[in-house]
């Protein structure tokens, strides 16, 4: 490869472009929400190791970029590697004239079920939003369970969370699904209370009921409920997924822009499969991240559903399909996205628009919340 470039584009994405000596171009997404400028610097450092090497030796490059420094790991490095890795798979597919899922062993399905977000960071208007999602063809949605949540769950907080979930469930109907995201903002004792209260709503899964630093608590939560527990957007390699899988988590959610890209996510999926768990990649990000997720999903037997960001509350000033020249490949029908066979990741980025957008790079940051007493509250 001869050139690696990065682009900070709205609303909060970081794209990676790799060019080869033969003139092929591959794209990837290294977005790390709120830290993408730092990841951009990491990509520039990794480029020192990658430039001049054969882009087709993807596993070898992944090992070099991930382990080629004494200090390694964490979201910044893993996200930088992820963006490069996606672009390398894109290049290999284009070089051979086949989609990435063909390189991963071939398709195991013809379409993928998707879900969308409703309700915002501090969930509200969920009945109307769920009904609109259903009218737009989605059969599954996800919503935050709560706004900032107290250390111990009050009756009012629990009742409000249950009422919102019930409203969304009613709007989606018996044949629709509602996933509920705790977003790590609920304490362990409060999570036990809230999960039990939500059981009658029958959510598709409960996501990130505690922060990843407390992954050792998942075994208790799994034993406490019959609901599927999901986690993984803030776990960055298969070693970090192993303890939660051993604890009985039923749905793993690696983010292909955080967890080392396509190469590592496939290994995480295999590890999950050995524990009877399902794969539902995290992806509230841009079109390249989504395309990479879908390529993995088309070729991975334990993939179950795919998140996507069209219309999500973070997409201010730009939306999922704005930088894609032909958005038809990402169009859904009745809540499903059909498999396509275009080479590489399968989408064509509007490079001119990306370069224009990067002239005014975004500086997206997540909110900082406080409890009523002034102490820090998880977002």
């Amino acid at each position: 490869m001869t050139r690696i470039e990065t682009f900070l584009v709205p609303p909060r994405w970081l794209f990676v472009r790799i060019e080869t000596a033969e003139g092929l171009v591959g794209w990837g997404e290294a977005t790390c929400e709120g830290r993408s400028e730092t990841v951009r610097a990491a990509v520039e450092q990794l480029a020192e190791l990658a430039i001049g090497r054969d882009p087709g030796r993807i596993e070898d490059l992944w090992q070099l970029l991930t382990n080629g420094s004494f200090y390694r790991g964490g979201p910044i490095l893993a996200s930088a590697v992820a963006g490069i890795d996606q672009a390398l798979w894109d290049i290999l597919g284009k070089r051979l004239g086949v989609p990435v899922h063909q390189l991963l062993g071939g398709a195991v399905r013809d379409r993928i079920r998707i879900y969308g977000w409703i309700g915002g960071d501090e969930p509200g208007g969920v009945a109307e939003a769920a009904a609109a999602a259903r009218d737009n063809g989605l059969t599954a949605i996800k919503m935050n369970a709560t706004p900032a949540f107290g250390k111990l769950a009050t009756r009012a907080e629990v009742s409000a969370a249950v009422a919102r979930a019930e409203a969304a469930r009613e709007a989606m109907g018996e044949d629709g699904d509602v996933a509920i995201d705790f977003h790590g903002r609920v304490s362990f004792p409060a999570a036990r209370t809230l999960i039990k209260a939500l059981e009658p709503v029958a959510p598709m899964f409960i996501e990130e009921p505690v922060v990843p630093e407390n992954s050792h608590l998942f075994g208790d939560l799994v034993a406490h409920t019959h609901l599927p527990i999901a986690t993984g957007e803030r776990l960055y390699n298969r070693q970090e997924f192993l303890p939660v899988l051993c604890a009985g988590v039923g749905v793993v959610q690696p983010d292909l822009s955080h967890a080392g890209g396509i190469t590592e996510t496939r290994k995480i999926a295999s590890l999950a499969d050995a524990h009877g768990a399902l794969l539902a990649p995290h992806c509230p990000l841009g079109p390249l991240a989504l395309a990479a997720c879908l390529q993995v999903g088309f070729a991975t037997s334990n993939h179950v559903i795919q998140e996507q960001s069209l219309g999500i509350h973070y997409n201010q000033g730009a939306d999922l399909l704005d930088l894609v020249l032909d958005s038809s490949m990402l169009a859904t029908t009745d809540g499903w996205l059909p498999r396509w066979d275009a080479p590489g990741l399968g989408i064509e980025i509007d490079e001119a628009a990306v370069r224009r957008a990067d002239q005014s790079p975004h500086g997206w940051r997540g909110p900082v919340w406080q409890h009523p007493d002034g102490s820090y509250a998880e977002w």
Side-chain angles (χ1 to χ4, degrees), residues 263-277:
T263 298
E264 182 68 1
T265 299
R266 280 280 284 183
K267 296 172 184 178
I268 293 167
S270 293
L271 181 65
D273 198 25
H275 287 81

Side-chain angles (χ1 to χ4, degrees), residues 132-149:
R134 195 68 203 253
D135 289 344
N136 288 331
L138 289 181
T139 62
I141 57 170
K142 186 167 74 179
M143 56 183 280
N144 278 310
T146 71
F149 204 73

